[in-house]
Amino acid sequence: MILAIMALFTVGACELETSDAGRLTGFWQLRTLDSLSTGRSTDMRPFGVAWSFQSTIMQVQSYQVDNFIYLSYEHNSDRLRVYAPLRADRKLGDDVPLQTTDTLHMMGIPAIETVFTVKELSGSTMVLQTDSLRLQFRKY
């Protein structure tokens, strides 16, 4: 009886952490990057840029960059805020904060902290926009 009560309290004290990021969950290929100021559109498929979301962390990667970049994110209806980028670099340590935006720019992220407007988010398509950029993704 005592064991049963202890088991009940032990299970009740645990908090279940889920990895669901809602409709963001999954692997997204950046297909086009549009400059709203110049009207120029860049096909990003040859660069292999991909974003993936799980829980409160997103990962960005590219064929052009050796290391993964991890960012925290917040998604609220039509707003996606990405911030606190870290580079996974085993030579320098697991989590190295990014100090410049060079690598982020290649991945479609213009600043260390960026707020995107979510223009479209479905099971297959995501369109994000800032004042100067529009990013179009396809979900895998």
Side-chain angles (χ1 to χ4, degrees):
M1 179 72 158
I2 293 175
L3 288 176
I5 293 172
M6 287 178 53
L8 181 62
F9 283 114
T10 302
V11 170
C14 295
E15 185 176 319
L16 182 62
E17 178 73 28
T18 64
S19 64
D20 183 29
R23 291 185 300 174
L24 286 175
T25 298
F27 189 79
W28 297 88
Q29 176 193 31
L30 179 57
R31 299 181 58 86
T32 59
L33 181 64
D34 304 322
S35 170
L36 301 177
S37 59
T38 66
R40 183 176 170 210
S41 183
T42 303
D43 182 359
M44 297 297 289
R45 291 175 295 177
F47 302 103
V49 174
W51 294 16
S52 57
F53 296 85
Q54 185 176 1
S55 189
T56 60
I57 302 294
M58 68 178 280
Q59 173 183 303
V60 293
Q61 63 189 49
S62 169
Y63 299 141
Q64 306 292 317
V65 178
D66 291 335
N67 302 308
F68 295 109
I69 306 297
Y70 298 99
L71 297 100
S72 296
Y73 78 92
E74 296 171 357
H75 176 229
N76 299 311
S77 63
D78 68 342
R79 183 176 173 267
L80 176 65
R81 175 180 170 238
V82 299
Y83 60 98
L86 301 170
R87 182 180 67 232
D89 189 333
R90 299 286 181 200
K91 295 175 189 169
L92 299 176
D94 284 342
D95 298 324
V96 179
L98 284 182
Q99 302 298 321
T100 66
T101 58
D102 297 343
T103 304
L104 292 176
H105 282 188
M106 293 175 52
M107 312 276 196
I109 302 171
I112 296 290
E113 180 175 336
T114 301
V115 177
F116 294 97
T117 300
V118 179
K119 294 296 200 177
E120 182 179 348
L121 181 57
S122 69
S124 61
T125 304
M126 177 169 63
V127 179
L128 304 176
Q129 188 169 312
T130 65
D131 291 339
S132 60
L133 298 173
R134 181 175 40 248
L135 291 72
Q136 298 181 41
F137 295 85
R138 179 179 89 176
K139 188 173 189 175
Y140 280 96

